[in-house]
Amino acid sequence: MALTKETTAATIKKYGAKENDTGSVKVQIALLTQRVQQLTEHTKAFPKDASGKRALLKVVGQRRKMLKYFERTDLEGYRAFIKELGLRK
C-alpha cells in the first residue's frame, strides 16, 4: 500500500519549491503524513496485522524527527505548516 505516483507528484507540486523538489522538509513531512493516514486506515481494517502496526510506528517516528528539525530551523514556517496539514489542533 504505497503512495501512488499521482498523489506523490501532487504533493511535491503543492509543497515543493520546484517540480523535482523531493528533499525539502515540507515535502518529506507531507509525504510521511499521507503514508501515516494510509497505514492508519489499514490498521483499522486489519487490527491483527503486527507488521502494519510496526510500519505505522516507524513512519510516525520518522515524521516526528522531521517535525522537530523543522521546528528547530524555522519556527514560523513550522507553525504555518502544522496548521495547513491539520496535525495539531
Side-chain angles (χ1 to χ4, degrees):
M1 279 185 65
L3 296 174
T4 63
K5 288 183 181 182
E6 293 80 22
T7 58
T8 303
T11 303
I12 293 170
K13 187 176 181 180
K14 183 175 181 180
Y15 296 109
K18 295 182 241 173
E19 185 177 320
N20 296 326
D21 183 19
T22 57
S24 72
V25 179
K26 283 185 169 185
V27 172
Q28 290 185 40
I29 292 172
L31 289 173
L32 286 172
T33 300
Q34 288 180 347
R35 185 76 177 127
V36 165
Q37 290 169 350
Q38 278 187 346
L39 286 169
T40 302
E41 292 301 316
H42 177 81
T43 304
K44 287 179 183 176
F46 303 100
K48 292 186 179 183
D49 184 11
S51 61
K53 288 180 185 178
R54 183 178 185 277
L56 175 62
L57 291 174
K58 192 172 182 177
V59 172
V60 168
Q62 288 175 343
R63 184 179 68 175
R64 184 182 305 134
K65 288 178 190 177
M66 294 295 294
L67 285 168
K68 276 185 175 180
Y69 170 78
F70 193 35
E71 181 181 20
R72 192 174 61 237
T73 56
D74 182 15
L75 185 61
E76 292 303 317
Y78 166 80
R79 288 179 179 159
F81 191 61
I82 290 297
K83 281 187 179 179
E84 188 174 346
L85 286 179
L87 290 180
R88 297 191 179 106
K89 296 174 180 158

